[in-house]
Amino acid sequence: MPWNPVTLYRDLRMIDDTMRVCETVHIVGLAILSTLNILEQADLLKNNSIIPNMPLILSLFLGFLGGFANVMSLRDEDQDWPNAITAYAEKHNIEIKGKYGVTKKCYPAHRLSSKKLALVMAVASIDKWKFKQRYREFSAAYGNGGVEFDITKMSKAERRAKAFDNKDPLDEMPPVPSEDQPTDADEPFPEVDSEEDEED
């Protein structure tokens, strides 16, 4: 299934853990800034870059992530990295365009704090935005993939503790057949009479 920013935006807004959404969006923002830093190091972040769709990519990210401005405001620190993206674009004379209604005017660089603006303008360096450190903190707090949310891997007590009604949701599920039990896996589709058989 192709990535659909509209669906992702809707799904994130339906999550009850608002702070987790906030931290997730922040990590995505730092990942973008870290990517721009790496591209700058490789001299690929420029108006005539060999990466032809840079303006479109930046406009898509700003169009999507900008919708979480209210959520991001839950953090103690300023959530001004969308403005930092604009500052990067202006620094390298890249026009943000492609997604309707999204331009550098949506997140003007002049709204950046002097500290953040100085960081954007500084020479590119390894992990300038401290993404690795922040991602380690994020992973420690919220986990990083794996089977953390797989209820089939949890103990019965863990499932009951996480359920709203304190009941194990798997109690209402039919048992999963083991490898020793006969199944219809070898014949997933029932036999259908052919048209020739029907004519006979």
Side-chain angles (χ1 to χ4, degrees):
M1 178 181 294
W3 180 71
N4 187 335
V6 175
T7 303
L8 181 57
Y9 177 77
R10 180 197 64 200
D11 292 344
L12 285 174
R13 290 181 65 88
M14 293 178 65
I15 296 176
D16 292 332
D17 191 347
T18 310
M19 185 55 69
R20 186 187 187 114
V21 174
C22 171
E23 295 291 344
T24 300
V25 174
H26 183 65
I27 284 294
V28 173
L30 287 179
I32 297 170
L33 294 180
S34 298
T35 301
L36 295 177
N37 176 60
I38 293 172
L39 291 174
E40 191 176 52
Q41 281 184 295
D43 194 30
L44 293 174
L45 189 62
K46 51 189 177 182
N47 188 34
N48 59 344
S49 174
I50 60 174
I51 305 175
N53 56 351
M54 192 82 67
L56 174 61
I57 293 172
L58 296 182
S59 71
L60 287 174
F61 272 119
L62 288 181
F64 164 66
L65 296 171
F68 291 93
N70 292 335
V71 174
M72 292 188 293
S73 66
L74 293 174
R75 291 183 57 87
D76 294 334
E77 60 187 275
D78 293 334
Q79 292 295 298
D80 52 6
W81 51 260
N83 305 82
I85 292 176
T86 300
Y88 263 115
E90 291 184 354
K91 179 181 178 181
H92 295 281
N93 195 29
I94 299 173
E95 181 182 4
I96 297 176
K97 63 179 182 178
K99 179 173 173 55
Y100 179 77
V102 177
T103 67
K104 67 179 183 180
K105 294 180 180 179
C106 299
Y107 304 96
H110 67 77
R111 291 188 181 177
L112 274 177
S113 64
S114 57
K115 181 179 179 181
K116 290 282 184 65
L117 185 58
L119 191 58
V120 172
M121 296 303 172
V123 177
S125 57
I126 296 177
D127 203 18
K128 184 167 74 171
W129 293 95
K130 301 189 183 328
F131 172 77
K132 292 181 180 179
Q133 173 189 335
R134 298 299 295 272
Y135 189 73
R136 283 195 295 269
E137 295 170 356
F138 176 83
S139 298
Y142 297 108
N144 182 19
V147 297
E148 181 182 0
F149 301 105
D150 185 349
I151 64 172
T152 65
K153 304 298 182 182
M154 297 178 184
S155 66
K156 190 178 186 69
E158 288 176 320
R159 290 195 295 270
R160 293 183 62 181
K162 293 180 181 294
F164 290 121
D165 57 4
N166 293 320
K167 296 180 181 179
D168 183 356
L170 294 189
D171 285 345
E172 301 178 5
M173 298 284 289
V176 179
S178 67
E179 295 181 357
D180 298 330
Q181 291 176 313
T183 67
D184 296 329
D186 295 334
E187 297 181 3
F189 303 104
E191 292 185 4
V192 178
D193 294 334
S194 65
E195 294 182 359
E196 295 180 354
D197 293 336
E198 292 179 357
E199 294 177 355
D200 296 338

